[in-house]
Amino acid sequence: MRADASFAVPVKLWALLCVFAGVTIGGNVLLTCILTGGALLYLVLQRNFRLAASYGCFYLLLALLLYGIRFHGLHMPIFSEFYVLMFWNLSPIFLVSWDLITTPPGMLSAFLSRLRMPTSFILGLLVVFRFFPTMRTELKGVGRSMKNRGLTAAGQLLAHPVQSMEYVLVPFLLRVLQLADQLSVSAVARGAERPGVRGSYYEKRIGARDHIAAAVCAIVTASYLVLERSMA
């Protein structure tokens, strides 16, 4: 369902460029909530409700922490004020970047192939984009396996920390090697070594909805910059 509702790759890149320009050029901490609100709306329009809701709650927590730091002198020994401010300012970039990274690889490769990018560049970029989501999935699998075997108890972890780390790293590294082999075979089977522009089942053309989304991204960023300059 999400693939049908998602915007085309050029729109995702344009949205990332807009929020990056807004965060880089603008300097008003409070007004960055405009960009973050636009990024959350951007996710909702693509039916990515789970990420929008979870990060929205996290963003509200950041707002409360900033309020406490600014007006009540709140100091936190673990999660310092610097990190609170960093996450607050960079939230729109985090949201739009994550949406781009989690785009189906077929859509990304089809777009880059139309730009006549080298095959080596396309494959390398896809591996980088899919690295963190894939590793997160594999770590969850290792964690479930350890839990089923009773290896995640607090006593086990405290009494045998090195052994517990070995229980995680060994299957995780073996799985990474298996994924690398599968990726190589999959790339060859899909004609990665074939020269020329390749088609894709996931190719998505830019429609009216995408043009509207790109225009809204530009309007939100421009409004933020104009308002920020007027208040400076």
Side-chain angles (χ1 to χ4, degrees):
M1 179 179 294
R2 187 189 164 192
D4 296 334
S6 64
F7 298 125
V9 175
V11 178
K12 293 174 180 284
L13 292 173
W14 173 251
L16 179 59
L17 178 62
C18 287
V19 295
F20 184 80
V23 171
T24 304
I25 299 174
N28 192 302
V29 175
L30 180 61
L31 291 181
T32 54
C33 62
I34 298 176
L35 296 177
T36 304
L40 291 173
L41 178 61
Y42 172 82
L43 295 177
V44 170
L45 292 177
Q46 297 182 91
R47 301 179 186 174
N48 197 345
F49 302 115
R50 183 176 180 179
L51 177 59
S54 59
Y55 201 92
C57 295
F58 176 69
Y59 194 70
L60 290 177
L61 177 61
L62 290 178
L64 293 175
L65 292 176
L66 281 177
Y67 177 81
I69 293 170
R70 175 64 177 84
F71 296 102
H72 299 283
L74 177 65
H75 294 285
M76 296 170 291
I78 299 177
F79 197 69
S80 69
E81 295 83 357
F82 169 77
Y83 295 111
V84 174
L85 185 62
M86 181 189 71
F87 276 103
W88 177 270
N89 283 332
L90 299 181
S91 286
I93 296 180
F94 290 155
L95 290 170
V96 180
S97 298
W98 185 254
D99 177 69
L100 179 62
I101 291 173
T102 55
T103 300
M107 293 178 60
L108 292 173
S109 61
F111 169 71
L112 294 175
S113 182
R114 289 201 306 272
L115 297 180
R116 300 190 181 276
M117 291 290 184
T119 303
S120 57
F121 174 81
I122 296 176
L123 294 178
L125 188 64
L126 292 180
V127 170
V128 171
F129 272 31
R130 298 303 300 167
F131 176 78
F132 293 104
T134 302
M135 294 302 101
R136 182 185 63 176
T137 302
E138 295 304 322
L139 284 175
K140 285 184 178 179
V142 173
R144 287 193 297 266
S145 179
M146 291 180 61
K147 184 176 181 180
N148 293 336
R149 290 169 172 79
L151 300 176
T152 58
Q156 167 71 22
L157 297 176
L158 294 176
H160 307 283
V162 177
Q163 190 177 21
S164 299
M165 185 179 298
E166 181 182 351
Y167 290 152
V168 175
L169 290 180
V170 172
F172 178 70
L173 293 177
L174 288 175
R175 182 56 181 158
V176 168
L177 293 176
Q178 292 176 356
L179 287 173
D181 292 336
Q182 293 173 5
L183 179 62
S184 300
V185 174
S186 176
V188 173
R190 286 170 169 79
E193 298 177 341
R194 178 182 178 275
V197 180
R198 295 179 300 277
S200 174
Y201 288 111
Y202 299 95
E203 190 169 358
K204 189 179 182 66
R205 299 291 181 180
I206 299 179
R209 181 171 173 269
D210 298 297
H211 288 293
I212 295 174
V216 170
C217 291
I219 292 173
V220 170
T221 302
S223 301
Y224 161 73
L225 293 176
V226 170
L227 186 60
E228 192 267 343
R229 290 296 176 87
S230 64
M231 297 180 62

